[in-house]
């Protein structure tokens, strides 16, 4: 059974293939190939939404991507509830469920529509002016209420279950837009043999040929020609044809973002299909053939459901076989609306009247309309649309005033002219130019290797567009390396042509009027609002736009920008080009986050790095923490232990017996070559030339400004070979810093740098029993104190595999770091663990590592330093080679501010109450009774409970800290002020004797 | 995304493979320790930040890992040319005569 407004014999859909769907829980029947819009219109449904601000009833303005009104929520299941879908773009599938938005309790009766009655209160800039006071009310009262009342659809509240694909593509010629011009350009380019990509946002190619019943090309109807041409292109190996694909962004060097809607039109997409596919295309040449968008007339109540663009009504009729009404009025300022009236009249629909603002237009379409017996009124305006939930009449008046006449209608078709779609051209940084004769902005100066053709370039007439596009396609292909094409140019036998029209408010909505004549439907901006913005001092179009929000909705002002600009220009008394156009920005139409993110989410969002012992740690109950990309064992709780208990036990065990710790994540760089020592001298503050082979040194790296950049223990394996360690997080930037100096400042040095972080697994064995644990497994290394003192490195074997065995300590205990090839890391760990068990050793994680080093006052770069700390500030002056004449940072260190008195220095803090553990980052003051804001003299950088000390310990950066030893300072916190005493940084074994025994 | 020609790899590669490394042709003084405060300030802190042609360092960090120099227009983001580290500042830019 046909829906009431489906015209038999009209349109291109097969009426046999029905699809059932629901809108606001009411069932309807449509046809396969329908959009949700055409299917609803076929059922006589015009009212589909409520407007953003005034909650005015709204219907369909357009039949395409420019739609500002008909935004609906498409619900597939619990997790798939897509808001703000343009019903004019959503293809119908059997079982589609759609709901209207921004209405309560129902679409026909919406309480929010009170805003429309109270609209004098809600004029432009209303929010800025009204909700200023009291200050507290914005966050707690105004904003939540406004957000509840305004707003669009409802966001889904579950994770997106769909997946999104991504492709990179390269081509010689990329054609954007698959109307007559785009197809002609693609044909010309394809015939030369170069790689061509043709993309169009619609499901079927053809663009305006979908509705232009008068077009004939190569002896057939325009739309049929387009389908034949697309079939030909699809059959060519060098051509990729993408439908349902929107070019949303034009970036530098002909890099264009396309998003292909893969399965939103399918009833059951299945898991194997992506929902959307992002194409990132790099093209040698781009042909922009994006066409033009019809503008509405700006008159009172021009937003009533049933009032729509003439070309939209024509598309619904000629493509979908749907009449948008039975008694239709037409209001136009150019020829194109006549064609709509003619097509509808021929389909048996009554045209109540054509109202033409022009005085005495002439032309074939006007003659044809007259011959069909349609009433035509020149020099008149529609000053108001009647009706509320659906237009019921139009009130016509001579444009210079006079008697009104009200004509009953059930739809009004309007056309103020056509706006070239220069969005992508403008995004390519091309400059638009205003053509004063045709009152439109067209491409002016190009910034990239692209060309605009057809109506988006201001070319009028089908024949001229096709000729221009075919030539441009051939030229682009040739410039990109194509051979001469052998094809024939499409011959346009008949086409439609129109230009001109009007910009700005129509009579009845001019200056001094207070009617609601909408310029921007989606953001509810009227002609009056734009005038008011100018009157209130917004003279730049960018200011007018932001004050009124004209063109700022998700439709990006596709229908409203030119009207808004014209009204602003008229009010300012300036010509349009002097007022200027607002900037076009990507995306052309809304793009889902899913398509941008693609596969890079969840586990694939960021790489995860795991050390060789990760599996062992996991199976021994380790809790992990993220350190950069690394997963590091944080602590190893035994049954019943919380974090504090585990860390306390680990800390005590290391100092009493021993502990094993995976230190593999520390950055490791091998510095090799005849000039390795010279290079080290330049990159670190310490002296290196005299460091003996087999010995280690703690090195500090500065930036040129004198601040600490990184630190780590460096072992000299041979006269020309250093094994450098860095902080875990610093490894890549230290490598970059070293390479930078080696390649650009010290290229005369014969040195090679190799990152070996991943090559060596590092097992720290720390504690009084550490040597006893390692020694039985080692071959060829004398581990006695005499042969291998603290800060030495030996090469040999452990468990039969090569090792670089460092004697070093980040705990203050006798300690070793066993480096073995990463593949053996887990096996060697297991062997050391088995030995360790005999001596009561524990495995420990990063938290215990932090506590143990803080007990010894060893700093962590990036925690106890923040990029403004010098070696002196950190108490590390001893590590700066006083006799050296050069190293990176040597000059920075003598800058006046870096040697000034009163700098913040690293000190220890002990809370007066030993049980209180300070918060890291807490601010420190000298006088807790001073007025707020207090003078802060420093902050806590590290703070822990130390079970070994039986109290809390902390490190802090404090102004003039080393002169404050023994002083009482204060840490004000929300729950009271904490008293602290300034102390040295070493809390355990101040003399450092445990390192040796 | 920009395409950048690496003068060592001798081909255009996507921007993702590169990292900017600040203004080029600022040589570290050979006797830096003896620099005056003013001279050190000029060397370390002061940068041209032009609107238009800038000479800057880039590193092909996810490629050959070499540092090189580039001439870029900060208005259009267009790379005028790239050349190897250590080569002199080009006296004449391609297309500059237009």
């Amino acid at each position: 059974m046909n829906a009431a407004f489906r015209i038999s014999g009209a349109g291109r859909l097969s009426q046999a293939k029905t699809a059932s769907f629901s809108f606001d829980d009411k069932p309807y029947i449509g046809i396969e190939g329908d959009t949700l819009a055409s299917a609803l219109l076929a059922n006589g449904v015009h009212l589909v939404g409520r407007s953003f601000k005034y909650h005015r009833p709204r219907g369909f303005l357009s039949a395409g991507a420019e739609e500002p009104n008909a935004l609906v929520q498409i619900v597939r299941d619990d997790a798939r509830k897509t808001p703000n879908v343009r019903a004019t773009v959503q293809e119908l599938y059997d079982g589609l469920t759609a709901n209207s938005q921004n209405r309560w309790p129902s679409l026909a009766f919406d309480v929010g529509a009170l805003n429309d009655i109270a609209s004098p209160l809600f004029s432009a800039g209303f929010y800025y002016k009204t909700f200023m006071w009291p200050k507290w009310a914005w966050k707690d009262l105004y904003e939540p209420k406004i957000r509840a009342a305004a707003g669009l659809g409802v966001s889904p509240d579950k994770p997106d279950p769909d997946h999104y694909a991504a492709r990179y593509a390269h081509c010689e010629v990329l054609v954007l837009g698959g109307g007559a011009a785009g197809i002609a350009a693609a044909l010309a380019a394809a015939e030369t043999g170069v790689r061509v990509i043709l993309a169009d946002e619609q499901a079927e190619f053809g663009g305006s040929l979908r509705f232009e019943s008068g077009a004939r090309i190569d002896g057939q109807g325009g739309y049929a020609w387009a389908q034949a041409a697309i079939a030909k292109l699809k059959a060519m190996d060098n051509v990729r044809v993408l439908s349902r694909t929107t070019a949303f962004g034009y970036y530098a060097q002909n890099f264009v973002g396309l998003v292909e809607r893969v399965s939103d039109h399918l009833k059951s997409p299945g898991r194997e299909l992506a929902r959307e596919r992002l194409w990132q295309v790099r093209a040698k040449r781009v042909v922009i053939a994006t066409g033009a968008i019809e503008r509405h007339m700006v008159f009172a109540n021009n937003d009533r459901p049933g009032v729509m663009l003439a070309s939209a009504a024509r598309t619904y009729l000629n493509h979908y076989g749907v009449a948008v009404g039975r008694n239709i009025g037409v209001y136009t300022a150019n020829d194109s609306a006549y064609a709509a009236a003619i097509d509808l009249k021929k389909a048996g629909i009554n045209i109540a009247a054509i109202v033409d603002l022009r005085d005495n237009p002439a032309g074939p379409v006007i003659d044809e309309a007259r011959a069909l017996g349609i009433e035509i009124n020149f020099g008149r305006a529609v000053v108001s649309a009647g009706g509320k939930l659906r237009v019921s009449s139009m009130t016509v008046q001579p444009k210079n005033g006079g008697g009104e006449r009200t004509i009953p209608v059930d739809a009004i078709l309007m056309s103020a002219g056509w706006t070239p779609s220069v969005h992508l051209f403008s995004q390519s940084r091309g400059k638009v130019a205003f053509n004063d004769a045709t009152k439109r902005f067209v491409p002016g100066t190009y910034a990239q290797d692209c060309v605009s053709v057809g109506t988006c370039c201001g070319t009028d007439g089908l024949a001229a567009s096709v000729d221009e596009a075919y030539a441009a396609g051939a030229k682009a292909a040739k410039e990109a390396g194509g051979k001469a094409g052998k094809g024939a140019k499409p011959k346009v036998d008949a086409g439609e042509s129109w230009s001109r029209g009007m910009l700005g408010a129509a009579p009845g909505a001019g200056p001094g009027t207070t009617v609601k004549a909408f310029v921007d439907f989606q953001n509810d901006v009227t002609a009056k609002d734009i005038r008011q913005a100018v009157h209130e001092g917004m003279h730049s179009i960018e200011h007018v736009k932001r004050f009124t929000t004209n063109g700022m909705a998700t439709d990006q002002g596709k229908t409203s920008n030119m009207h808004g600009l014209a009204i602003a220009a008229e009010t300012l008394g300036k010509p349009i080009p002097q007022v200027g156009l607002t900037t076009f920005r990507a995306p052309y139409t809304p793009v889902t986050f899913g398509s941008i993110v693609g596969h890079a989410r969840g586990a694939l969002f960021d790489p995860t790095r795991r050390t060789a012992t990760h599996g062992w740690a996991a199976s021994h109950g380790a809790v992990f923490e993220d350190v950069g990309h690394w997963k590091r064992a944080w602590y190893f709780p035994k049954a019943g232990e919380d974090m504090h208990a585990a860390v306390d036990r680990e800390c005590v065990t290391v100092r009493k017996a021993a502990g094993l710790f995976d230190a593999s994540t520390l950055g490791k760089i091998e510095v090799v070559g005849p000039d390795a020592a010279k290079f080290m001298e330049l990159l670190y503050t310490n002296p290196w030339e005299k460091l003996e082979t087999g010995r280690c040194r703690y090195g500090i790296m500065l930036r040129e400004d004198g601040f600490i950049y990184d630190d780590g223990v460096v072992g000299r394996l041979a006269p020309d070979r250093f094994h450098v360690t860095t902080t875990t997080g610093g490894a890549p930037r230290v490598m970059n810093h070293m390479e930078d100096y080696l390649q650009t400042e010290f290229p005369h040095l014969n040195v090679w740098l190799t990152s070996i972080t991943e090559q060596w697994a590092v097992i720290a064995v720390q504690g009084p029993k550490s040597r006893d644990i390692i020694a039985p497994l080692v071959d060829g290394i004398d581990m006695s104190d005499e042969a291998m003192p603290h800060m030495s490195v030996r090469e040999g074997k452990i468990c039969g595999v090569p090792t670089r065995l460092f004697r070093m300590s980040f705990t203050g205990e006798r300690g070793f770091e066993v480096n073995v090839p990463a593949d053996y890391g887990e096996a060697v760990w297991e062997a050391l663990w088995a030995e360790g068990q005999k001596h009561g050793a524990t495995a420990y994680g990063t938290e215990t590592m932090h506590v143990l080093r803080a007990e010894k006052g060893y700093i962590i770069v990036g925690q106890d330093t923040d990029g403004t700390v010098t070696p002196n500030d950190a108490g590390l002056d001893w590590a700066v080679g006083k006799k050296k004449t050069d190293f990176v940072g040597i000059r920075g260190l003598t800058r006046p501010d870096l040697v000034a008195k009163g700098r913040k220095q690293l000190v220890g803090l002990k809370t007066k109450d030993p049980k209180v553990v300070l918060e890291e980052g807490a601010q420190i003051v000298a006088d807790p009774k001073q007025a707020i804001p207090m003078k802060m003299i420093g902050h806590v950088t590290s703070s822990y409970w130390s079970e070994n000390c039986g109290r809390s310990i902390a490190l802090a950066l404090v102004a003039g800290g080393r002169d404050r030893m023994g002083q009482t300072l204060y840490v004000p916190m929300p729950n009271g002020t904490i008293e602290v005493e300034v102390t040295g940084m070493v809390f355990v074994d101040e003399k450092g004797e445990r390192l040796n025994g | 995304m920009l395409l950048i020609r690496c003068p060592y790899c001798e081909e255009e590669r996507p921007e993702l493979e590169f990292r900017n490394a600040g203004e080029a042709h600022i040589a570290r003084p050979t006797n830096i320790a003896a620099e005056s405060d003013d001279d050190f300030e000029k060397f370390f802190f002061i940068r041209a930040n032009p609107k238009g042609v800038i000479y800057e360092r880039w590193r092909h960090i996810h490629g050959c890992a070499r540092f090189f120099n580039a001439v870029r227009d900060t208005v259009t983001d267009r790379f005028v040319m790239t050349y190897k580290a250590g080569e002199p500042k080009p006296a004449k830019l391609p297309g500059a005569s237009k």
Side-chain angles (χ1 to χ4, degrees):
Chain A
M1 189 194 81
N2 273 355
F5 288 84
R6 192 81 67 178
I7 307 296
S8 103
R12 304 189 177 96
L13 311 185
S14 164
Q15 305 218 354
K17 296 181 178 170
T18 59
S20 58
F21 69 102
S22 76
F23 178 66
D24 278 350
D25 300 326
K26 197 173 166 201
Y28 297 98
I29 304 286
I31 296 178
E32 271 185 30
D34 262 330
T35 60
L36 177 58
S38 66
L40 282 167
L41 286 168
N43 287 281
V45 177
H46 278 258
L47 172 65
V48 286
R50 288 276 175 171
S51 72
F52 183 68
K53 186 165 145 190
Y54 300 131
H55 288 247
R56 286 170 68 101
R58 291 284 166 83
F60 306 97
L61 179 74
S62 74
E66 69 270 34
E67 179 61 36
N69 282 337
L71 305 181
V72 299
Q73 186 124 15
I74 303 290
V75 181
R76 275 193 191 268
D77 55 39
D78 247 17
R80 294 176 176 87
K81 302 180 210 170
T82 314
N84 308 332
V85 174
R86 288 153 295 161
T88 53
V89 171
Q90 174 65 49
E91 292 172 58
L92 191 68
Y93 52 82
D94 190 47
L96 182 145
T97 304
N99 293 315
S100 58
Q101 303 181 157
N102 200 30
R103 81 289 189 263
W104 184 87
S106 75
L107 188 55
F109 177 74
D110 176 17
V111 167
L114 284 170
N115 284 3
D116 193 25
I117 298 161
S119 65
L121 297 174
F122 296 123
S123 63
F126 163 69
Y127 297 120
Y128 306 132
K129 296 169 194 160
T130 308
F131 298 111
M132 298 290 289
W133 38 259
K135 198 174 161 190
W136 60 266
W138 175 256
K139 187 163 159 281
D140 297 327
L141 180 64
Y142 298 146
E143 188 180 2
K145 292 286 173 207
I146 292 167
R147 288 205 184 279
L152 299 166
V154 182
S155 298
D157 51 8
K158 293 200 164 63
D160 186 348
D162 289 317
H163 67 103
Y164 297 79
R167 288 284 298 271
Y168 289 91
H170 296 260
C171 64
E172 274 68 42
V173 180
L174 170 64
V175 182
L176 304 174
I183 292 171
L187 283 171
E191 282 155 2
T192 70
V194 300
R195 293 170 300 174
V196 175
I197 296 177
L198 169 64
D200 190 86
E201 64 188 358
Q202 302 273 359
E204 300 95 9
F205 284 80
S208 59
L209 298 175
R210 291 197 310 159
F211 62 80
E212 284 187 6
S213 47
R216 290 193 70 78
I217 306 174
D218 286 343
Q220 51 189 331
Y223 185 78
W225 168 83
Q227 305 318 304
I230 290 298
K232 182 179 168 191
L233 287 166
K234 279 183 174 168
M236 296 172 81
D237 289 340
N238 59 323
V239 181
R240 188 187 291 282
V241 176
L242 297 170
S243 60
R244 299 186 177 94
T245 302
T246 303
F248 64 83
Y250 198 130
Y251 306 96
Q253 289 168 296
N254 275 355
F255 188 69
V256 181
L258 316 174
V259 67
E260 179 184 3
R261 291 173 298 282
V262 179
S263 61
D264 268 356
H265 62 291
L266 299 176
K267 176 182 168 68
S268 316
R271 284 297 297 159
E272 68 276 11
L273 273 185
R275 182 175 172 223
E276 293 177 340
R277 180 179 292 120
L278 177 71
W279 291 85
Q280 296 176 73
V281 182
R282 180 82 66 178
K284 290 215 169 68
R285 294 287 185 282
V286 176
V287 178
I288 304 172
T290 47
I293 292 172
E294 199 168 25
R295 289 186 305 276
H296 57 281
M297 299 293 288
V298 179
F299 62 98
N301 302 325
N302 59 345
D303 63 326
R304 292 304 184 205
V307 182
M308 64 169 62
L309 299 174
S311 60
R314 226 179 151 199
T315 303
Y316 290 122
L317 178 72
N318 292 340
H319 190 76
Y320 299 103
V322 173
V324 299
R326 299 195 197 286
N327 181 36
I328 297 175
V330 177
Y331 182 25
T332 187
N334 82 107
D335 283 358
S336 66
Y338 283 83
I342 291 164
D343 286 351
L344 282 158
K345 179 78 178 175
K346 284 180 176 169
I349 305 300
N350 187 51
I351 302 300
I354 294 176
V355 179
D356 195 327
L357 203 52
R358 298 172 296 178
D359 285 325
N360 279 303
V365 284
I366 296 166
D367 296 342
E368 189 179 353
R370 193 176 281 124
L372 286 167
I374 299 172
E375 178 194 331
I376 302 174
N377 302 277
F378 292 145
R380 282 164 201 272
V382 173
V383 292
S384 179
K388 191 158 182 229
L389 299 180
R390 173 82 185 266
V391 65
S392 61
S393 67
M394 59 183 191
T395 302
V396 180
Q397 193 180 29
K399 69 180 180 186
N400 299 320
E404 287 182 355
R405 172 185 160 210
T406 296
I407 304 172
V409 293
D410 60 0
I412 299 176
L413 314 187
M414 51 186 173
S415 179
W418 294 78
T419 307
S421 288
V422 295
H423 305 71
L424 292 170
F425 166 79
S426 181
Q427 284 183 29
S428 80
R429 295 191 175 185
K431 295 262 179 292
V432 293
F434 191 70
N435 182 320
D436 205 43
T438 56
K439 299 281 180 229
R440 57 195 178 188
F441 282 100
V442 292
T445 314
Y446 284 86
Q448 298 199 38
D449 289 330
C450 60
V451 60
S452 297
V453 296
T455 45
C456 75
C457 191
T459 304
D460 295 316
L462 185 59
S465 282
V466 166
D467 286 359
E468 175 183 66
Y470 193 82
K475 180 162 178 273
K478 191 177 169 215
E479 286 168 353
K483 301 185 189 86
K486 342 178 243 305
K489 186 173 77 176
K491 187 170 169 298
V492 175
D493 309 311
E496 298 179 4
S497 174
W498 45 77
S499 62
R500 313 297 168 101
M502 70 167 301
L503 293 171
T513 60
T514 58
V515 297
K516 281 207 187 67
F518 286 91
V519 173
D520 181 330
F521 294 102
Q522 201 180 344
N523 266 352
D524 271 349
V525 180
T526 64
K528 179 181 76 92
D529 292 332
I530 291 176
R531 291 188 201 104
Q532 186 197 333
V534 174
H535 290 317
E536 293 193 12
M538 314 299 146
H539 290 181
S540 153
I541 193 67
E542 296 286 358
H543 291 161
V544 171
K545 165 179 161 176
R546 281 155 186 80
F547 193 68
T548 61
T549 70
N550 189 55
M552 286 174 70
T554 57
D555 72 333
Q556 292 215 12
K558 290 183 180 65
T559 49
S560 65
N561 278 345
M562 288 306 296
H563 282 319
L565 173 57
I567 295 166
E570 183 194 15
T571 313
L572 284 163
K574 284 184 184 174
I576 283 173
Q578 271 186 38
V579 178
L581 202 53
T582 55
T583 310
F584 292 96
R585 298 185 198 283
Y588 173 71
T589 50
V591 175
T592 61
F593 283 114
S595 65
I596 300 290
V597 169
H599 296 297
R601 61 177 186 171
L604 298 179
F605 175 65
D606 221 10
T608 300
R609 299 172 83 182
R610 294 183 177 87
T611 69
T613 69
H614 186 92
W616 186 94
S619 67
H620 285 73
V623 176
F624 292 90
E625 70 167 334
D626 292 338
V627 181
H629 285 146
W630 289 102
K631 295 281 176 200
R632 299 194 73 182
W634 194 9
Y635 56 98
F636 290 83
K638 289 188 171 174
E641 281 184 340
D642 63 5
M643 177 172 174
H644 283 287
V647 171
D648 288 351
R649 172 183 49 76
E650 290 172 14
C651 286
V652 170
T653 308
V654 172
R655 295 215 187 280
K656 211 158 59 184
L660 268 65
F661 172 70
D662 188 339
S664 303
T665 66
L666 285 185
K668 295 176 278 294
I669 297 167
E670 205 159 289
V671 179
V672 186
D675 298 322
K678 274 189 196 150
F679 181 73
M680 291 297 293
E681 289 273 340
L682 285 164
L683 267 290
Y684 283 83
T685 60
N686 321 63
W688 300 96
E689 297 272 16
K690 288 184 182 153
L691 181 70
E692 288 168 36
T693 297
R695 295 309 303 266
C696 302
R697 182 162 284 164
Y698 169 74
I700 297 179
M701 172 179 273
L702 306 182
R703 296 185 308 205
E704 206 72 85
D705 57 10
F707 294 129
I708 295 175
Y709 190 56
D710 202 73
D711 69 347
V713 169
V714 178
R716 191 169 197 172
L717 298 169
D720 63 351
R721 186 175 297 262
F722 291 84
H723 179 115
V724 175
T725 66
T726 75
T727 55
T728 293
R733 62 182 158 83
V734 169
M735 186 72 185
N736 188 64
H737 178 82
M738 285 184 168
E739 281 286 353
D740 192 348
Y741 276 96
L742 181 60
Q743 289 184 34
T744 67
E745 296 292 353
F746 312 131
H748 55 282
L749 297 180
N750 191 354
V751 173
W752 287 88
L753 304 171
T754 309
S755 167
I756 52 170
T757 304
E758 304 272 4
Q759 274 60 44
W760 295 94
V762 184
I763 304 159
V765 186
Q766 301 279 316
K769 303 283 188 191
S770 54
R771 184 169 59 190
D772 302 334
I773 293 169
I774 300 169
L777 304 176
V778 167
D779 280 330
I781 301 173
D782 180 352
M783 289 183 65
S784 68
D785 284 338
E786 299 71 39
M788 193 176 178
H790 179 57
M791 292 302 262
S792 54
V793 57
R794 297 290 178 270
E795 290 180 271
K797 289 202 164 174
I798 186 165
C799 306
V801 303
T803 182
R804 289 178 178 176
L805 180 61
F806 285 74
R807 179 163 177 190
M808 55 186 277
S809 175
F810 202 43
T811 58
E813 301 296 322
R814 172 197 294 277
F816 296 87
E817 291 196 357
V818 181
N819 286 249
V820 291
D823 286 350
Y824 299 112
E826 187 161 22
V828 173
W829 174 283
E830 297 258 21
L832 287 165
W833 176 247
E835 283 299 319
Q837 294 294 78
K838 299 174 192 167
H839 298 278
T842 182
Y844 67 98
T846 49
E847 187 65 19
T848 291
M849 177 269 284
H850 276 105
V851 176
L852 294 173
R853 66 89 202 177
E855 289 174 349
K856 290 296 299 177
Y858 297 148
I859 68 161
I860 289 182
V861 169
Q863 176 168 347
D864 301 299
T865 71
D866 60 4
T868 66
V869 176
T870 68
N872 185 284
D873 297 340
L876 297 170
D877 234 4
W878 57 268
V880 180
K882 299 295 176 301
K883 293 178 191 157
K884 290 176 70 170
T885 55
D886 197 5
F887 57 81
V888 173
I890 191 169
R891 179 59 185 84
L893 281 179
T894 61
R895 289 191 290 147
D897 282 351
L898 270 63
V899 295
K901 284 211 179 314
R903 287 186 60 81
K904 286 184 183 170
Q905 293 170 327
L906 214 48
V907 293
L909 293 182
K910 284 183 179 169
T911 49
K912 291 283 167 76
D913 176 351
K915 300 279 184 224
V916 173
V917 181
L918 294 168
E919 262 186 51
E920 288 175 357
Q923 296 293 320
I924 299 163
V925 301
D927 171 14
K929 296 199 171 71
Q930 63 186 302
I932 293 170
M934 296 188 183
K935 181 177 168 52
M936 295 173 283
I937 60 169
H939 68 275
V940 178
T941 62
S942 293
S943 176
Y944 310 94
W945 172 259
S946 164
E947 186 70 8
N948 285 312
C949 300
R951 60 158 300 123
S952 70
I953 58 169
L955 302 177
L957 277 167
V958 177
R962 289 201 289 274
D963 293 333
R964 293 180 187 268
M965 288 299 145
Q967 275 187 22
T968 298
L969 298 177
Y970 302 88
V971 179
M973 297 297 289
N975 298 330
T977 297
I978 302 166
E979 278 184 71
V980 297
E981 182 192 339
V982 181
T983 71
M985 290 166 63
V986 185
F987 300 94
V988 165
D989 181 29
E990 253 182 90
K991 290 182 182 157
E993 290 163 337
R994 298 179 67 90
L995 284 169
N996 302 313
Chain B
M1 191 182 342
L2 300 172
L3 286 177
I4 301 173
R5 182 181 171 80
C6 171
Y8 293 96
C9 299
E10 298 186 333
E11 64 174 336
E12 288 194 324
R13 305 291 305 167
E15 184 186 341
L16 288 177
E17 295 182 10
F18 297 84
R19 187 180 296 164
N20 184 286
E23 194 172 336
H25 299 294
I26 298 171
R28 186 175 187 270
T30 44
N31 189 6
I32 194 169
E35 292 283 293
S36 69
D37 282 343
D38 283 353
D39 287 345
F40 182 75
E41 181 195 25
K42 283 190 193 107
F43 157 70
F44 189 71
F45 292 104
I46 306 301
R47 294 294 179 267
N49 193 24
K51 180 178 181 180
V53 168
I54 188 172
Y55 296 79
E56 60 188 3
R57 305 179 330 126
W58 284 78
R59 187 183 183 199
H60 194 184
I61 188 162
H62 300 300
C64 67
R66 300 296 296 266
F67 283 85
F68 60 90
N69 293 332
V71 185
R72 183 174 60 93
D73 188 325
T74 59
V75 177
T76 62
D77 261 355
R78 195 173 70 89
F79 278 77
V80 179
M81 64 180 295
T82 58
Y83 51 102
K84 293 177 178 175
E87 289 180 2
K89 199 169 182 169
K92 188 165 175 284
L93 297 177
S97 57
K98 274 185 202 167

